[in-house]
Amino acid sequence: MKTLWRWIRRGLLALVLLFIAWHLWLLGHVLWWKWVPPSGTSFMSLRLSELNQARPDAELHYRWVPYEQISVHLKRAVIAAEDDKFVDHEGFDWDGIQKAIEKNQKKGKAVAGGSTISQQLAKNLFLSPSRSYFRKAEEAIITVMIEALWDKRRILEVYLNVVEWGNGIFGCEAAAQRYYRVPASRLAPSQAARMAVMLPNPRKYETQFGPRLAAHATRIQGRMQYSEVP
């Protein structure tokens, strides 16, 4: 019995050390990316693997551009569409989370997430699209790291550069070139609004941008003037 408890304690200690090592690894990357553009993300790796299964020579479209070279219209549009309290919260929109819970309970399934831009960035950089309590807990931990170490300007800059915007398309520069044949710096308000409403399901909306989504883009364009940009 003593031998069994000894092995249990050793196993628990190993798990604790593994947990600490994993989060130190995450923290190191968050610190590094405070100044250096990410060369890739977890979502990029997943999507590239999927594309390579169908076409081994497939490549992602991704090009980093600095914050100053991103249209202010896109910044406003994404904040209006995804996280209108972005500059005020510390990573979590508790009112939005409560509303999402109530909406999901009413519908009887998960139809709303209530995630902030910071939470979405944490997921894109390190995690996967899968839904589980463990993944949400990891997302929360990484979000705290990002909010503690980066300012809002850096968070928005990295988010706009790495988020998925279509099949194999990552970041605003690749998306602007793909959909409008212009650099991200020259996106017009209507173009920015249409790109912003694609974010919840970009691979679907890339080919199925119907009247309802177009109407939503029009609403977002009307709200953009009220978006506070870092």
Side-chain angles (χ1 to χ4, degrees):
M1 196 67 174
K2 289 182 179 179
T3 302
L4 176 61
W5 278 112
R6 186 164 59 249
W7 280 108
I8 291 174
R9 288 196 299 270
R10 288 178 178 176
L12 291 173
L13 178 60
L15 288 175
V16 169
L17 292 175
L18 184 62
F19 178 85
I20 293 172
W22 164 244
H23 287 92
L24 286 174
W25 182 86
L26 293 174
L27 181 61
H29 278 75
V30 172
L31 278 169
W32 179 249
W33 287 337
K34 181 176 181 177
W35 298 284
V36 179
S39 59
T41 69
S42 177
F43 267 44
M44 290 181 192
S45 296
L46 290 170
R47 296 305 183 217
L48 183 58
S49 295
E50 292 173 1
L51 291 171
N52 286 156
Q53 289 179 6
R55 191 160 57 90
D57 62 342
E59 296 181 352
L60 300 179
H61 300 280
Y62 167 56
R63 179 187 167 194
W64 177 277
V65 289
Y67 190 82
E68 298 79 8
Q69 294 180 25
I70 301 173
S71 168
V72 69
H73 302 306
L74 184 62
K75 297 168 188 173
R76 293 185 185 279
V78 168
I79 289 174
E82 295 288 291
D83 186 2
D84 58 4
K85 297 179 182 177
F86 174 65
V87 298
D88 297 318
H89 63 64
E90 296 181 350
F92 306 94
D93 179 2
W94 300 110
D95 290 336
I97 292 171
Q98 181 61 37
K99 289 178 182 177
I101 292 172
E102 293 172 357
K103 188 173 183 179
N104 292 338
Q105 289 176 340
K106 185 177 180 180
K107 295 289 185 178
K109 59 180 180 180
V111 295
S115 294
T116 63
I117 285 174
S118 303
Q119 289 175 270
Q120 293 177 47
L121 177 58
K123 179 176 66 175
N124 273 261
L125 287 174
F126 297 107
L127 304 173
S128 74
S130 65
R131 295 186 177 186
S132 69
Y133 290 116
F134 176 77
R135 200 224 71 193
K136 289 300 291 185
E138 285 293 286
E139 178 186 295
I141 293 170
I142 299 167
T143 298
V144 171
M145 293 180 186
I146 289 172
E147 284 279 342
L149 296 170
W150 299 1
D151 59 24
K152 292 291 186 176
R153 178 186 170 105
R154 181 60 173 174
I155 292 171
L156 186 59
E157 178 182 35
V158 177
Y159 179 79
L160 292 174
N161 269 290
V162 304
V163 73
E164 186 176 26
W165 242 305
N167 193 27
I169 301 169
F170 285 85
C172 56
E173 182 67 17
Q177 295 285 356
R178 164 68 174 81
Y179 299 121
Y180 299 112
R181 300 292 188 267
V182 298
S185 61
R186 291 175 51 197
L187 285 167
S190 60
Q191 296 169 334
R194 287 176 70 89
M195 281 179 55
V197 299
M198 292 176 65
L199 288 173
N201 199 341
R203 287 183 293 167
K204 175 184 176 180
Y205 296 145
E206 179 182 9
T207 57
Q208 301 178 37
F209 199 101
R212 290 183 63 184
L213 198 61
H216 183 38
T218 300
R219 290 193 295 272
I220 292 300
Q221 187 175 348
R223 289 165 45 194
M224 284 163 52
Q225 60 182 314
Y226 305 109
S227 297
E228 188 176 349
V229 174

